[in-house]
Structures are given as C-alpha cells and as structure tokens.
Amino acid sequence: MKAVKLTLAGIMLAAAAFAAAEEAVLKVSAIPDEAPTELQRKFAPLGQYLEKELGMKVQFVPVTDYAAVVTALDSDKIDMAWLGGFTFVQASQHGKVVPLVQREEDSKFTAKFIASTASGAKTLKDLKGKSFAFGSASSTSGHLMPRYFMQKDGIKPETFFKNVAYSGAHDATVAWVASGKVDAGVLNASVWDKLVESGKVDMSKVKLLSTSPTFYDYNWTVRGSMDKKLQQKITAAFLKLDAKNPEQKAILDLQRASKFIPTKADNYKGIEAAAEAAGLLK
Amino acid sequence: MLMRDPARWTRLAGWLLVIALMAPTFPLTGFNPAALTQPDNLRTIGAFVAGFLPPALAPDFLGEVARETLTTLASATAGIALALLLGAPLAFLTSRALDRHALSGDRPSRLLQAAQTTLRGLMVLLRGIPEIVWALLFVRATGLGSLPAVLAIGLAYGGMLAKVYAEILESQTAAPARALHLAGASRWQTLLYGLWPQALPELVSYSVYRWECAVRASAVMGFVGAGGIGQLLDTSLKMLNSGEVSTLLLVFLLLSALSDAISHLARRALANRAGQGWLAAGGVLAIMASVAWLWPGWRDSGFDPAALPRFFHDFFPPALSLPFLPELGHYALETLAMSGLGTALAFIGGALLALPAAGRFGLALTLPCRALLNLLRGVPDLLWASIAVLAVGLGPAAGVLALALHTSGVLGRLFAETLENAPSEPSRALELAGAGRLGVFCYGVLPCVLHQWIAYALYRWENNIRIATVLGIVGAGGLGQQLYLALSLFQQQKAAALILCMLLLTWAVEGLSRRLRPAA
C-alpha cells in the first residue's frame, strides 16, 4: 500500500514539476519571411534579453511555413509570434490574439518592386508578359499589398504576367530574380535594404523598379489566453529597448528597428480591407 | 526493288491522330523545346548546375542531413505500420474471398453488401488523394513536422494496401477456404487456416515493396513542410544553394538504393523459415525504433486529435460556385495536358534510350544508357520539377519536362526489358532476306513490342495524371499550385473543390486508359 502511495505521490510531484516547467517557458516563433538560419540569428540576442527581463525561459520554435505560425498561435501551441500585417489579420479571424508592439518603421512600411537587368524593364508596366515572383502567399509586403496596389493600377497579375510564382521568402525572391529564374519580383523594403547594405545583391543583375505606397506591417502578437500581467511585462521589455544603450542597440539593429512602439488591432484595419479587396480572405 | 508497306495508310493515319491529339497540349502547357536552348535559361540552369561541385560538406550541414535522413526513414516505416493497421482490417472486411456467399454459393445479404460498398468507397477515397496532398492537409491540421508525413503515408497507403491485400486473398486457390467454411469455420478461421498460409509470401512481399515506395514519398514530403530531407532540399532549392542541393541529391539516391537493397533482401528472406523469423523481428524492431526516434517531435508539437474534425468540417461545402468554376476548368485542362504531353515525350525518350540500353548498339553504349535510365528514374518527379523550373521557367512547361524526364527513365527500363524478351526469329528472317537495320527494326522488332510499349505508356499516364496534379507545389503549374495557395490562405472550401477536381480527373484518365489498354 505504502509503495503505491509513494509511487502516486512521485507521479504527482513529477506532473507538478512538469506543469511548472511548462509554464515557465515562453515559446516564441516568427513567420519565416527569411531563411531559417537568418531568423535564428536575428532572434538569439532578443531572446536572451527577454529571458532576463521576464525571468523565464524563452524558446524559439523555428517554423518553415507562414500559415503554420498562424495555426500554432491560434491553438496556443506557441505563446508569442512575430507576424506580418496579413498573418495578424488571419490569426485574429481564426482565434483570439493580442498585438503588443511594433517597430516604429512598421507604421509606414513599403514594398520594393525589383527586376533583372536582363529583362530591360524600367517600370512595372514594362513587365507585361514576363514572369513575376511574390514572396510567400501569406506575406503582406511580399504579396498582399503589392497585389492590392497593382489591382488599383488595373493590373491583374495572373493575366498581366506570363507566370506568377511564390518564392516563399523575401531573400529567395531576390535570389530568383538575380539568377534569372524569374524576370521580376516584389519584396519587403527592410529586407531589400539589408541585402543591399550588406552587399548581398549583385546590382549588375538586379535593379530596383519602384517603391510602393506605405502601409502598416509586422508586429509582435501573443495568444489571447496569455496572462495579462505577462503581456504587460513583455510590452514593457520591448518598449524599454533603447538605441543609446550599445547592447540594446545591437538587438534593435538585428530587428532593423529604431525603437518599438505600442500597437493595437485597429492599426491593421487597412490591411484587412486590402485583403478583402484582393480576394485573399475567404 | 523497293517494297512498300501494305499497311502504310492505316499506320500513318494512326500516327497523325496521335499528333493531332497532342498538338493542343503544347499551347496549353506553354511547352516549347526551344526554351531549353534559350541563352537566358541556359545561363540560369548552367550556373545552378555548375555549383553542384563541390557538394556542401560543412559538418553542421552534414549533421542536419544525417538527422533528417533518419527522420525520413522513420516516417516511412511508421507510416507503413499505420497503413498496415488500417489496410489489414479493411482488406479482411471487404475481401470477397472470405465472403460466406462466395464460399457457399448462397445469396449475399443486402446489409453486408452495403457495408462493404461503403468501405470500398472509403478505400478508393483514401488512395485516390495523392499522399503529398494528404501531407499538405495534415500539415495545416496538426502543424509542421514528421507527424503529417506519417499520417499521410498511413492513410494513402492504407487504402492501397487494403485493395491489394483483398485482391491477393481473392487470387488464391479457394478450395481450402471453401472446405473450412463448409465445415463451419468462421471468417477468422477461414482466413487463418485457409488463405493465410498460401497468401503470406505475396502479402509480405507487397508490403515490403510499399515500404520502398514510402521511403521515396517520405523523402519529398518536406516540400510541404512535413519534415525529413525534403524540407532541407526545399530550403536549399529556394535559396538556389546548388552545393547543398547536390549533397542532398546524392543522399537521396543513396537512400533510394538502400531501400531497394533492403526490400530485395527482405523478399529473399521470405524463402525460408529462419528468414521469415528474422524479417518479422526486424520489422517490429524497425517500427519501434522509428516511433521512438519521432516521438519527441510529436510530443512537442502538441497534436490535438479533437481539432481534426473541426479542421475537416471547414472544407464543406466545396466552393463550386460560378466565378471559380471556369478557373478550375482551366487548371484541370492544364494539368491534363501536362500529363499527356509529358507521357508522350517520355514514350519517345524511353524508346530512344531503350534501344541502346537493351544492347542493340554494343556494350559501350549499354552501360551508360542503363545508368542514365536509373538516374532519370531514381530522382522523383517533384524533384525534377523543381530543377525543371530553372531550365524552362516556372509554370506547366516545367511540369511537362519533369514528367518527361522521370517517365523516360521508367519507360526506358520497361521498354528495354520488352526488347530483350522479344522473339528474335522475325528479325533474323528479315536480315537473311536482306533487310537493312531500319527495316529490321520497323518490321521485325517494333510489331513484337509496340503493343506492350503502348500498354506501359498508358499505365504510366494513369500514374502521371496523379503526379501532374501535385507538381504545382514546387511551381510547375496545374491544380497543385492552386491547392497550395488555397490552403496557405485558409480558403478550405476552394481547396475542397480543387481536391474534388483532382479526384475526378484521375478517375477519368484511369477509366480511359483502362479502355484503351486492351485495344492497344
């Protein structure tokens, strides 16, 4: 009898420890808008900073598919995610999620249209009958907004271009255009600037055609069931990041942010309307 | 004196009809052989292939490749185990060989028949949806990782195993089963003592063959996010990192050869009792090891079975409304054209390679041609498609090229075998009568093999239509690309309509090919 009780107690203790251990981990993910290795590199110092500020373990869960991040957040498999404007709209349509902060840059985000120099195109209109790559179908700056702006200019990608393809990620779009796999493409302005600054774009092969009008993009969003206090702690930790502190500046630089600002769901009403208009919502 | 072919007009008309049928597939798929020689495309593919050497051998990368290779093998093995769990009971319940009325000649009961028809319908649905589409669905339903791959293989192959197991039981000698049944044996007893002993080798042999196919399927499931080396390959291909692609291709071919060898050994082991024991023990151990290897990933993914019904509920009703229907028709036609043209080109390619591979032009050509056929066949269609988009650009043209390349390998080997088995008397008679090489081939060899060749090609076409529906996942046009998009955008009802369309198209081609095959 005693042995049974002891075993039971042991199991309960283990279960309690397990539950406690689970509570103390913040599972974070991000839409894979760049190569997986790049995402991990970008997140590492931010993760360490959050661990220190929140006093809990922070675990990055790499995901290779935009829609999977939305589903994971909606089904509470992860606690926090770096979402694009469009994935945020999708996540809030399928479940309860709370947007916390965004980069200052995200309130006036843009997309860059690029073409291979070999295509000879000077403007978007010159690309008629050529092949064109969006990023991921679920991308805001790599698909939704460019499609919406083209639609406003009377361009229906499926008939205007010879072929429309989805590269899956912003850096892949640049690689595709540079290699000649497609004639032109569109991507996130921030990734474009980073690739150009770091000399990763062969400017003899790829050229910038135009920049889109501005829109709201990325944010950090948590699952709706998260404890309010923890939400506030996370928000405070992000807002505290200061570019004057060299250590924190490194974190901000990797995120390509000057600073983080609070955000709210209403900021993304415009994105929702654009998605509606482009027929990308149900 | 020039002898005229007496049947020349009918033959000519036959070929003209084939050409007339094939002509519209060129504009439909945008396939233009000249695209292969365009300087732009040549530069793209050239730069990509040039990067194959040296293969990526960084220790980190190799470690990851090793891990994912194990995951690929484990997913295939666990998937086959699930397929067995699903397929065996289904076969037991639906095989006509075990039916009371079939054994005793009584009238079948209505209820039993209705139940069996329902189960057979389920089996048709399970195997009708390509395994990579199942994987794509489960990736959306349960999250990324190896679990969707296992479930996909389990369901698709479960449906296939059920059908083939039932057929194997039906093809055995019925006398023992009938005798047992008349002596009052139950369905179980009839199976265990009447059919099992004679059917066992064939059942095991087919299961092992399916496992071999599962390894190849599991290796490409990463293209939709279901883990394994396919996932690494997808990333490397997207980033156009040729060094990594060539390493992964090598691993892939090795994996394919390994599973081939294991499957061969397993079938040899079946011949004696000790071997059977080893095989059973090995199988059980492999399944346990596979589940143990995959388990941590499944535990972390927090799979919630209760979410599945909700997920599949969203697919109803399928979006068969007006604005979408013409679009659906367009993609269906594109897919059909892709499969038809791909198979037709492969017929030509296969025939051209089969002649030297069968030793008709000396040993110096035989071996390289056989190696080429093995390479074409060993690299799966989805992989050829992702490389073909570099060679001829994105869209259905790449799908045509991919199907043509892979199927050339498959058909070439079959064609070569037919050539080797063809009787030599007609050729020798023509030779002795003074016919030239071309004449001997056209009138001595071709008539002996052509019917078989066409039957093989039609059979392959049934397979290729299934593949053409999914090539779009890597950018090669057709229904697959639309399905991938719809599921990325949570447009489940559109996805349901696309899957329905895939099924109808596959069944239509199967029906047509089945009618044409005996006539060929």
PDB file of all heavy atoms in Angstrom, chain B residues 364-397:
ATOM      1  N   ALA B 364      29.419  -0.762 -75.189  1.00  0.00           N
ATOM      2  CA  ALA B 364      29.931   0.555 -74.819  1.00  0.00           C
ATOM      3  C   ALA B 364      28.795   1.534 -74.571  1.00  0.00           C
ATOM      4  O   ALA B 364      28.926   2.467 -73.777  1.00  0.00           O
ATOM      5  CB  ALA B 364      30.837   1.082 -75.920  1.00  0.00           C
ATOM      6  N   LEU B 365      27.668   1.343 -75.227  1.00  0.00           N
ATOM      7  CA  LEU B 365      26.532   2.241 -75.033  1.00  0.00           C
ATOM      8  C   LEU B 365      25.558   1.692 -74.006  1.00  0.00           C
ATOM      9  O   LEU B 365      24.801   2.447 -73.391  1.00  0.00           O
ATOM     10  CB  LEU B 365      25.799   2.444 -76.365  1.00  0.00           C
ATOM     11  CG  LEU B 365      26.313   3.588 -77.225  1.00  0.00           C
ATOM     12  CD1 LEU B 365      25.573   3.646 -78.544  1.00  0.00           C
ATOM     13  CD2 LEU B 365      26.177   4.913 -76.491  1.00  0.00           C
ATOM     14  N   THR B 366      25.561   0.358 -73.827  1.00  0.00           N
ATOM     15  CA  THR B 366      24.566  -0.254 -72.940  1.00  0.00           C
ATOM     16  C   THR B 366      24.671   0.285 -71.524  1.00  0.00           C
ATOM     17  O   THR B 366      23.680   0.747 -70.942  1.00  0.00           O
ATOM     18  CB  THR B 366      24.763  -1.783 -72.909  1.00  0.00           C
ATOM     19  OG1 THR B 366      24.785  -2.225 -74.254  1.00  0.00           O
ATOM     20  CG2 THR B 366      23.644  -2.460 -72.159  1.00  0.00           C
ATOM     21  N   LEU B 367      25.899   0.231 -70.972  1.00  0.00           N
ATOM     22  CA  LEU B 367      26.048   0.579 -69.565  1.00  0.00           C
ATOM     23  C   LEU B 367      25.738   2.048 -69.273  1.00  0.00           C
ATOM     24  O   LEU B 367      24.973   2.341 -68.367  1.00  0.00           O
ATOM     25  CB  LEU B 367      27.439   0.178 -69.073  1.00  0.00           C
ATOM     26  CG  LEU B 367      27.629  -1.349 -69.074  1.00  0.00           C
ATOM     27  CD1 LEU B 367      29.032  -1.728 -68.659  1.00  0.00           C
ATOM     28  CD2 LEU B 367      26.582  -2.021 -68.174  1.00  0.00           C
ATOM     29  N   PRO B 368      26.317   2.991 -70.055  1.00  0.00           N
ATOM     30  CA  PRO B 368      25.963   4.398 -69.770  1.00  0.00           C
ATOM     31  C   PRO B 368      24.462   4.653 -69.903  1.00  0.00           C
ATOM     32  O   PRO B 368      23.907   5.406 -69.114  1.00  0.00           O
ATOM     33  CB  PRO B 368      26.742   5.195 -70.823  1.00  0.00           C
ATOM     34  CG  PRO B 368      27.626   4.265 -71.506  1.00  0.00           C
ATOM     35  CD  PRO B 368      27.320   2.867 -71.099  1.00  0.00           C
ATOM     36  N   CYS B 369      23.811   4.012 -70.875  1.00  0.00           N
ATOM     37  CA  CYS B 369      22.376   4.248 -71.048  1.00  0.00           C
ATOM     38  C   CYS B 369      21.588   3.692 -69.872  1.00  0.00           C
ATOM     39  O   CYS B 369      20.635   4.296 -69.412  1.00  0.00           O
ATOM     40  CB  CYS B 369      21.872   3.629 -72.341  1.00  0.00           C
ATOM     41  SG  CYS B 369      22.149   4.726 -73.714  1.00  0.00           S
ATOM     42  N   ARG B 370      22.014   2.532 -69.368  1.00  0.00           N
ATOM     43  CA  ARG B 370      21.326   1.978 -68.190  1.00  0.00           C
ATOM     44  C   ARG B 370      21.513   2.893 -66.992  1.00  0.00           C
ATOM     45  O   ARG B 370      20.579   3.123 -66.232  1.00  0.00           O
ATOM     46  CB  ARG B 370      21.883   0.598 -67.870  1.00  0.00           C
ATOM     47  CG  ARG B 370      21.411  -0.413 -68.870  1.00  0.00           C
ATOM     48  CD  ARG B 370      21.399  -1.797 -68.297  1.00  0.00           C
ATOM     49  NE  ARG B 370      20.902  -2.693 -69.323  1.00  0.00           N
ATOM     50  CZ  ARG B 370      21.177  -3.970 -69.386  1.00  0.00           C
ATOM     51  NH1 ARG B 370      21.924  -4.503 -68.436  1.00  0.00           N
ATOM     52  NH2 ARG B 370      20.694  -4.708 -70.337  1.00  0.00           N
ATOM     53  N   ALA B 371      22.740   3.422 -66.841  1.00  0.00           N
ATOM     54  CA  ALA B 371      22.998   4.329 -65.712  1.00  0.00           C
ATOM     55  C   ALA B 371      22.113   5.573 -65.839  1.00  0.00           C
ATOM     56  O   ALA B 371      21.532   6.043 -64.854  1.00  0.00           O
ATOM     57  CB  ALA B 371      24.470   4.718 -65.681  1.00  0.00           C
ATOM     58  N   LEU B 372      22.005   6.080 -67.059  1.00  0.00           N
ATOM     59  CA  LEU B 372      21.177   7.269 -67.273  1.00  0.00           C
ATOM     60  C   LEU B 372      19.714   6.972 -66.934  1.00  0.00           C
ATOM     61  O   LEU B 372      19.039   7.765 -66.273  1.00  0.00           O
ATOM     62  CB  LEU B 372      21.309   7.721 -68.737  1.00  0.00           C
ATOM     63  CG  LEU B 372      20.492   8.946 -69.125  1.00  0.00           C
ATOM     64  CD1 LEU B 372      20.900  10.157 -68.298  1.00  0.00           C
ATOM     65  CD2 LEU B 372      20.649   9.272 -70.605  1.00  0.00           C
ATOM     66  N   LEU B 373      19.230   5.818 -67.364  1.00  0.00           N
ATOM     67  CA  LEU B 373      17.848   5.436 -67.056  1.00  0.00           C
ATOM     68  C   LEU B 373      17.637   5.363 -65.544  1.00  0.00           C
ATOM     69  O   LEU B 373      16.619   5.826 -65.029  1.00  0.00           O
ATOM     70  CB  LEU B 373      17.514   4.079 -67.687  1.00  0.00           C
ATOM     71  CG  LEU B 373      17.295   4.068 -69.197  1.00  0.00           C
ATOM     72  CD1 LEU B 373      17.067   2.650 -69.691  1.00  0.00           C
ATOM     73  CD2 LEU B 373      16.099   4.940 -69.579  1.00  0.00           C
ATOM     74  N   ASN B 374      18.624   4.791 -64.841  1.00  0.00           N
ATOM     75  CA  ASN B 374      18.500   4.693 -63.387  1.00  0.00           C
ATOM     76  C   ASN B 374      18.453   6.057 -62.734  1.00  0.00           C
ATOM     77  O   ASN B 374      17.694   6.274 -61.795  1.00  0.00           O
ATOM     78  CB  ASN B 374      19.669   3.890 -62.803  1.00  0.00           C
ATOM     79  CG  ASN B 374      19.465   2.408 -63.007  1.00  0.00           C
ATOM     80  OD1 ASN B 374      18.323   1.962 -63.184  1.00  0.00           O
ATOM     81  ND2 ASN B 374      20.539   1.652 -63.003  1.00  0.00           N
ATOM     82  N   LEU B 375      19.265   6.980 -63.250  1.00  0.00           N
ATOM     83  CA  LEU B 375      19.281   8.330 -62.688  1.00  0.00           C
ATOM     84  C   LEU B 375      17.935   9.011 -62.929  1.00  0.00           C
ATOM     85  O   LEU B 375      17.344   9.617 -62.030  1.00  0.00           O
ATOM     86  CB  LEU B 375      20.414   9.144 -63.325  1.00  0.00           C
ATOM     87  CG  LEU B 375      20.490  10.587 -62.842  1.00  0.00           C
ATOM     88  CD1 LEU B 375      21.006  10.634 -61.413  1.00  0.00           C
ATOM     89  CD2 LEU B 375      21.387  11.432 -63.739  1.00  0.00           C
ATOM     90  N   LEU B 376      17.438   8.917 -64.164  1.00  0.00           N
ATOM     91  CA  LEU B 376      16.166   9.556 -64.503  1.00  0.00           C
ATOM     92  C   LEU B 376      15.052   9.014 -63.616  1.00  0.00           C
ATOM     93  O   LEU B 376      14.186   9.759 -63.155  1.00  0.00           O
ATOM     94  CB  LEU B 376      15.811   9.300 -65.974  1.00  0.00           C
ATOM     95  CG  LEU B 376      16.668  10.014 -67.004  1.00  0.00           C
ATOM     96  CD1 LEU B 376      16.360   9.507 -68.407  1.00  0.00           C
ATOM     97  CD2 LEU B 376      16.451  11.522 -66.940  1.00  0.00           C
ATOM     98  N   ARG B 377      15.092   7.701 -63.372  1.00  0.00           N
ATOM     99  CA  ARG B 377      14.043   7.056 -62.606  1.00  0.00           C
ATOM    100  C   ARG B 377      14.226   7.305 -61.111  1.00  0.00           C
ATOM    101  O   ARG B 377      13.255   7.433 -60.383  1.00  0.00           O
ATOM    102  CB  ARG B 377      14.121   5.549 -62.879  1.00  0.00           C
ATOM    103  CG  ARG B 377      12.905   4.757 -62.628  1.00  0.00           C
ATOM    104  CD  ARG B 377      13.026   3.441 -63.380  1.00  0.00           C
ATOM    105  NE  ARG B 377      14.377   2.912 -63.293  1.00  0.00           N
ATOM    106  CZ  ARG B 377      14.770   2.035 -62.374  1.00  0.00           C
ATOM    107  NH1 ARG B 377      13.938   1.578 -61.505  1.00  0.00           N
ATOM    108  NH2 ARG B 377      16.023   1.603 -62.363  1.00  0.00           N
ATOM    109  N   GLY B 378      15.486   7.372 -60.678  1.00  0.00           N
ATOM    110  CA  GLY B 378      15.771   7.471 -59.249  1.00  0.00           C
ATOM    111  C   GLY B 378      15.398   8.810 -58.654  1.00  0.00           C
ATOM    112  O   GLY B 378      15.036   8.906 -57.491  1.00  0.00           O
ATOM    113  N   VAL B 379      15.487   9.890 -59.436  1.00  0.00           N
ATOM    114  CA  VAL B 379      15.117  11.213 -58.933  1.00  0.00           C
ATOM    115  C   VAL B 379      13.611  11.366 -59.108  1.00  0.00           C
ATOM    116  O   VAL B 379      13.114  11.233 -60.217  1.00  0.00           O
ATOM    117  CB  VAL B 379      15.865  12.312 -59.713  1.00  0.00           C
ATOM    118  CG1 VAL B 379      15.436  13.679 -59.253  1.00  0.00           C
ATOM    119  CG2 VAL B 379      17.364  12.147 -59.549  1.00  0.00           C
ATOM    120  N   PRO B 380      12.869  11.618 -58.039  1.00  0.00           N
ATOM    121  CA  PRO B 380      11.408  11.654 -58.170  1.00  0.00           C
ATOM    122  C   PRO B 380      10.920  12.880 -58.949  1.00  0.00           C
ATOM    123  O   PRO B 380      11.629  13.881 -59.080  1.00  0.00           O
ATOM    124  CB  PRO B 380      10.910  11.695 -56.736  1.00  0.00           C
ATOM    125  CG  PRO B 380      12.051  12.126 -55.927  1.00  0.00           C
ATOM    126  CD  PRO B 380      13.304  11.829 -56.670  1.00  0.00           C
ATOM    127  N   ASP B 381       9.688  12.772 -59.435  1.00  0.00           N
ATOM    128  CA  ASP B 381       9.107  13.804 -60.306  1.00  0.00           C
ATOM    129  C   ASP B 381       9.123  15.198 -59.674  1.00  0.00           C
ATOM    130  O   ASP B 381       9.428  16.181 -60.346  1.00  0.00           O
ATOM    131  CB  ASP B 381       7.659  13.470 -60.618  1.00  0.00           C
ATOM    132  CG  ASP B 381       7.382  12.005 -60.549  1.00  0.00           C
ATOM    133  OD1 ASP B 381       7.455  11.431 -59.447  1.00  0.00           O
ATOM    134  OD2 ASP B 381       7.099  11.419 -61.584  1.00  0.00           O
ATOM    135  N   LEU B 382       8.789  15.240 -58.359  1.00  0.00           N
ATOM    136  CA  LEU B 382       8.722  16.557 -57.716  1.00  0.00           C
ATOM    137  C   LEU B 382      10.080  17.239 -57.734  1.00  0.00           C
ATOM    138  O   LEU B 382      10.185  18.447 -57.918  1.00  0.00           O
ATOM    139  CB  LEU B 382       8.273  16.401 -56.273  1.00  0.00           C
ATOM    140  CG  LEU B 382       6.790  16.600 -56.009  1.00  0.00           C
ATOM    141  CD1 LEU B 382       6.487  16.319 -54.548  1.00  0.00           C
ATOM    142  CD2 LEU B 382       6.347  18.012 -56.354  1.00  0.00           C
ATOM    143  N   LEU B 383      11.133  16.416 -57.583  1.00  0.00           N
ATOM    144  CA  LEU B 383      12.476  16.974 -57.597  1.00  0.00           C
ATOM    145  C   LEU B 383      12.863  17.424 -58.998  1.00  0.00           C
ATOM    146  O   LEU B 383      13.433  18.498 -59.188  1.00  0.00           O
ATOM    147  CB  LEU B 383      13.437  15.884 -57.158  1.00  0.00           C
ATOM    148  CG  LEU B 383      14.076  16.125 -55.818  1.00  0.00           C
ATOM    149  CD1 LEU B 383      14.883  14.938 -55.415  1.00  0.00           C
ATOM    150  CD2 LEU B 383      14.928  17.352 -55.938  1.00  0.00           C
ATOM    151  N   TRP B 384      12.539  16.596 -59.986  1.00  0.00           N
ATOM    152  CA  TRP B 384      12.800  17.002 -61.371  1.00  0.00           C
ATOM    153  C   TRP B 384      12.076  18.306 -61.658  1.00  0.00           C
ATOM    154  O   TRP B 384      12.617  19.196 -62.311  1.00  0.00           O
ATOM    155  CB  TRP B 384      12.317  15.937 -62.351  1.00  0.00           C
ATOM    156  CG  TRP B 384      13.301  14.829 -62.607  1.00  0.00           C
ATOM    157  CD1 TRP B 384      13.064  13.498 -62.469  1.00  0.00           C
ATOM    158  CD2 TRP B 384      14.656  14.957 -63.057  1.00  0.00           C
ATOM    159  NE1 TRP B 384      14.199  12.783 -62.791  1.00  0.00           N
ATOM    160  CE2 TRP B 384      15.187  13.650 -63.166  1.00  0.00           C
ATOM    161  CE3 TRP B 384      15.476  16.041 -63.375  1.00  0.00           C
ATOM    162  CZ2 TRP B 384      16.491  13.398 -63.578  1.00  0.00           C
ATOM    163  CZ3 TRP B 384      16.779  15.796 -63.786  1.00  0.00           C
ATOM    164  CH2 TRP B 384      17.272  14.491 -63.888  1.00  0.00           C
ATOM    165  N   ALA B 385      10.846  18.438 -61.144  1.00  0.00           N
ATOM    166  CA  ALA B 385      10.077  19.655 -61.415  1.00  0.00           C
ATOM    167  C   ALA B 385      10.766  20.871 -60.835  1.00  0.00           C
ATOM    168  O   ALA B 385      10.835  21.922 -61.481  1.00  0.00           O
ATOM    169  CB  ALA B 385       8.671  19.512 -60.850  1.00  0.00           C
ATOM    170  N   SER B 386      11.314  20.732 -59.618  1.00  0.00           N
ATOM    171  CA  SER B 386      11.920  21.923 -59.028  1.00  0.00           C
ATOM    172  C   SER B 386      13.197  22.295 -59.760  1.00  0.00           C
ATOM    173  O   SER B 386      13.608  23.452 -59.745  1.00  0.00           O
ATOM    174  CB  SER B 386      12.145  21.742 -57.532  1.00  0.00           C
ATOM    175  OG  SER B 386      12.690  20.483 -57.270  1.00  0.00           O
ATOM    176  N   ILE B 387      13.832  21.324 -60.404  1.00  0.00           N
ATOM    177  CA  ILE B 387      15.010  21.656 -61.212  1.00  0.00           C
ATOM    178  C   ILE B 387      14.572  22.167 -62.595  1.00  0.00           C
ATOM    179  O   ILE B 387      15.162  23.099 -63.148  1.00  0.00           O
ATOM    180  CB  ILE B 387      15.939  20.431 -61.346  1.00  0.00           C
ATOM    181  CG1 ILE B 387      16.437  20.049 -59.955  1.00  0.00           C
ATOM    182  CG2 ILE B 387      17.120  20.722 -62.258  1.00  0.00           C
ATOM    183  CD1 ILE B 387      17.196  18.745 -59.899  1.00  0.00           C
ATOM    184  N   ALA B 388      13.475  21.581 -63.103  1.00  0.00           N
ATOM    185  CA  ALA B 388      12.986  21.972 -64.431  1.00  0.00           C
ATOM    186  C   ALA B 388      12.539  23.427 -64.470  1.00  0.00           C
ATOM    187  O   ALA B 388      12.647  24.080 -65.514  1.00  0.00           O
ATOM    188  CB  ALA B 388      11.846  21.057 -64.868  1.00  0.00           C
ATOM    189  N   VAL B 389      12.044  23.962 -63.352  1.00  0.00           N
ATOM    190  CA  VAL B 389      11.620  25.364 -63.385  1.00  0.00           C
ATOM    191  C   VAL B 389      12.810  26.274 -63.653  1.00  0.00           C
ATOM    192  O   VAL B 389      12.640  27.392 -64.154  1.00  0.00           O
ATOM    193  CB  VAL B 389      10.885  25.811 -62.099  1.00  0.00           C
ATOM    194  CG1 VAL B 389       9.559  25.128 -61.955  1.00  0.00           C
ATOM    195  CG2 VAL B 389      11.732  25.606 -60.874  1.00  0.00           C
ATOM    196  N   LEU B 390      14.008  25.804 -63.339  1.00  0.00           N
ATOM    197  CA  LEU B 390      15.186  26.608 -63.664  1.00  0.00           C
ATOM    198  C   LEU B 390      15.515  26.511 -65.151  1.00  0.00           C
ATOM    199  O   LEU B 390      16.011  27.450 -65.752  1.00  0.00           O
ATOM    200  CB  LEU B 390      16.396  26.125 -62.863  1.00  0.00           C
ATOM    201  CG  LEU B 390      16.300  26.300 -61.358  1.00  0.00           C
ATOM    202  CD1 LEU B 390      17.472  25.619 -60.676  1.00  0.00           C
ATOM    203  CD2 LEU B 390      16.285  27.775 -61.010  1.00  0.00           C
ATOM    204  N   ALA B 391      15.218  25.349 -65.734  1.00  0.00           N
ATOM    205  CA  ALA B 391      15.605  25.115 -67.123  1.00  0.00           C
ATOM    206  C   ALA B 391      14.629  25.749 -68.107  1.00  0.00           C
ATOM    207  O   ALA B 391      15.046  26.284 -69.130  1.00  0.00           O
ATOM    208  CB  ALA B 391      15.719  23.624 -67.386  1.00  0.00           C
ATOM    209  N   VAL B 392      13.337  25.684 -67.820  1.00  0.00           N
ATOM    210  CA  VAL B 392      12.368  26.230 -68.784  1.00  0.00           C
ATOM    211  C   VAL B 392      11.456  27.284 -68.165  1.00  0.00           C
ATOM    212  O   VAL B 392      10.480  27.690 -68.772  1.00  0.00           O
ATOM    213  CB  VAL B 392      11.490  25.115 -69.410  1.00  0.00           C
ATOM    214  CG1 VAL B 392      12.321  24.229 -70.304  1.00  0.00           C
ATOM    215  CG2 VAL B 392      10.789  24.300 -68.351  1.00  0.00           C
ATOM    216  N   GLY B 393      11.780  27.734 -66.955  1.00  0.00           N
ATOM    217  CA  GLY B 393      10.956  28.755 -66.326  1.00  0.00           C
ATOM    218  C   GLY B 393       9.801  28.138 -65.573  1.00  0.00           C
ATOM    219  O   GLY B 393       9.482  26.963 -65.746  1.00  0.00           O
ATOM    220  N   LEU B 394       9.160  28.965 -64.732  1.00  0.00           N
ATOM    221  CA  LEU B 394       8.062  28.471 -63.919  1.00  0.00           C
ATOM    222  C   LEU B 394       6.847  28.177 -64.774  1.00  0.00           C
ATOM    223  O   LEU B 394       6.724  28.679 -65.876  1.00  0.00           O
ATOM    224  CB  LEU B 394       7.706  29.532 -62.878  1.00  0.00           C
ATOM    225  CG  LEU B 394       8.790  29.755 -61.837  1.00  0.00           C
ATOM    226  CD1 LEU B 394       8.767  31.169 -61.339  1.00  0.00           C
ATOM    227  CD2 LEU B 394       8.616  28.774 -60.696  1.00  0.00           C
ATOM    228  N   GLY B 395       5.949  27.340 -64.252  1.00  0.00           N
ATOM    229  CA  GLY B 395       4.710  27.061 -64.951  1.00  0.00           C
ATOM    230  C   GLY B 395       4.629  25.643 -65.457  1.00  0.00           C
ATOM    231  O   GLY B 395       5.546  24.838 -65.241  1.00  0.00           O
ATOM    232  N   PRO B 396       3.516  25.309 -66.148  1.00  0.00           N
ATOM    233  CA  PRO B 396       3.266  23.925 -66.540  1.00  0.00           C
ATOM    234  C   PRO B 396       4.332  23.345 -67.469  1.00  0.00           C
ATOM    235  O   PRO B 396       4.514  22.123 -67.497  1.00  0.00           O
ATOM    236  CB  PRO B 396       1.915  23.978 -67.246  1.00  0.00           C
ATOM    237  CG  PRO B 396       1.640  25.413 -67.500  1.00  0.00           C
ATOM    238  CD  PRO B 396       2.400  26.195 -66.500  1.00  0.00           C
ATOM    239  N   ALA B 397       5.061  24.191 -68.217  1.00  0.00           N
ATOM    240  CA  ALA B 397       6.107  23.668 -69.096  1.00  0.00           C
ATOM    241  C   ALA B 397       7.139  22.890 -68.282  1.00  0.00           C
ATOM    242  O   ALA B 397       7.627  21.841 -68.712  1.00  0.00           O
ATOM    243  CB  ALA B 397       6.780  24.815 -69.839  1.00  0.00           C
TER     244      ALA B 397
END
